[in-house]
Amino acid sequence: MMRRPRTAADFAVLGVLAPGGLLTVEQLAQQARLTAWSVRRALLRLQSRGLIMDAHNRGRWAITPRGRGEWAAKGRRFTL
């Protein structure tokens, strides 16, 4: 059974990452209109579910194909 993101912050972070690219916590926080702390917690939850990945420990994050599918299936109703 696939685990779904449970918080609005999770969906906000997925939504910012959905178009592609590598973004830092600060960039994600600004674009998702969240605090850096909320973004960091969401990143940990999303990474543990395989929905995002870090760029070789460089402090940048990208969405995975699985995360893109999650966003397409459920996340669009949480758009900013």
Side-chain angles (χ1 to χ4, degrees):
M1 178 167 68
M2 181 186 235
R3 294 169 61 188
R4 303 279 184 206
R6 296 185 183 138
T7 68
D10 293 349
F11 282 114
V13 170
L14 277 179
V16 171
L17 288 172
L22 296 170
L23 298 175
T24 66
V25 169
E26 293 79 18
Q27 291 168 324
L28 288 166
Q30 182 180 18
Q31 291 182 33
R33 298 184 190 118
L34 297 170
T35 64
W37 179 247
S38 296
V39 169
R40 285 186 192 99
R41 289 189 323 193
L43 289 171
L44 290 173
R45 285 189 299 270
L46 295 169
Q47 186 179 28
S48 73
R49 293 180 182 115
L51 302 178
I52 62 169
M53 63 183 173
D54 65 344
H56 309 291
N57 296 321
R58 298 176 90 190
R60 295 185 182 272
W61 300 87
I63 195 166
T64 64
R66 184 174 173 189
R68 226 177 270 295
E70 182 79 22
W71 175 249
K74 259 196 139 167
R76 293 194 188 276
R77 64 185 160 141
F78 290 94
T79 57
L80 301 174

